[in-house]
């Protein structure tokens, strides 16, 4: 079959078994490294664009609005606001969950961007609510260092 022909029937598909020696290393980038190291310390880091006078969450090393290089990084203390939320009834493999997971886009007023993370499954939380991150005791520099966000006390 010439290369430019389209496969129209599944029976026309051929399988070639074997291994392809491919490897890769994914880096989180300079801004991501600051963000994940901050999580390891129990902090949420953002970058501060001195030109726009604005905080960007998660941190970037260049401002996406004015293209200035950013060299100032700050601890973002909040208030963290639920900007949007949804519930998932399936895990990443498509298996039903015992209890739905609440997932939200969490932002900070006057800051650009936000974090997508889980919400406290045992608390009623809605869009616009002020929440706070609950960090795990043992942190490794991962988004999972935050257990979830729950209503701020
Ligand atoms: Zn800027």
């Amino acid at each position: 079959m010439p290369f430019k022909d389209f496969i129209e029937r599944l029976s026309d598909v051929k399988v070639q078994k074997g291994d392809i020696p491919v490897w890769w290393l994914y880096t989180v980038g300079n801004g991501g490294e600051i963000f994940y190291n901050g999580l390891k310390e129990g902090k949420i880091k953002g970058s501060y664009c001195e030109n726009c006078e604005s905080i960007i969450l998660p941190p970037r090393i260049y401002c996406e609005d004015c293209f200035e290089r950013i060299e100032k990084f700050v601890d973002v203390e909040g208030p963290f606001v639920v900007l949007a939320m949804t519930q998932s009834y399936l895990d990443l493999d498509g298996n039903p969950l015992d209890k739905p997971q609440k997932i939200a886009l969490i932002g900070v007023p006057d800051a650009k961007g936000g974090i997508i993370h889980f919400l406290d499954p045992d608390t009623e939380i809605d869009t616009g609510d002020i929440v706070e991150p609950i960090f795990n005791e043992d942190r490794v520099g991962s988004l999972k260092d935050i257990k979830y966000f729950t209503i701020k006390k």
Side-chain angles (χ1 to χ4, degrees), residues 86-91 94-103:
T86 189
Q87 290 191 62
S88 175
Y89 295 87
L90 302 174
D91 68 15
N95 301 312
L97 294 167
D98 294 336
K99 195 174 190 177
Q101 289 179 320
K102 300 175 189 174
I103 303 164

Side-chain angles (χ1 to χ4, degrees), residues 49 51-52 54 63 65-68 112:
C49 176
N51 192 46
C52 295
S54 59
C63 178
D65 288 339
C66 70
F67 305 112
E68 283 294 316
K112 300 171 187 173

Side-chain angles (χ1 to χ4, degrees), residues 14-32:
K14 295 180 178 151
V15 175
Q16 177 67 46
K17 294 190 178 187
D19 296 320
I20 302 173
V22 176
W23 65 273
W24 64 90
L25 182 65
Y26 175 76
T27 66
V28 293
N30 294 340

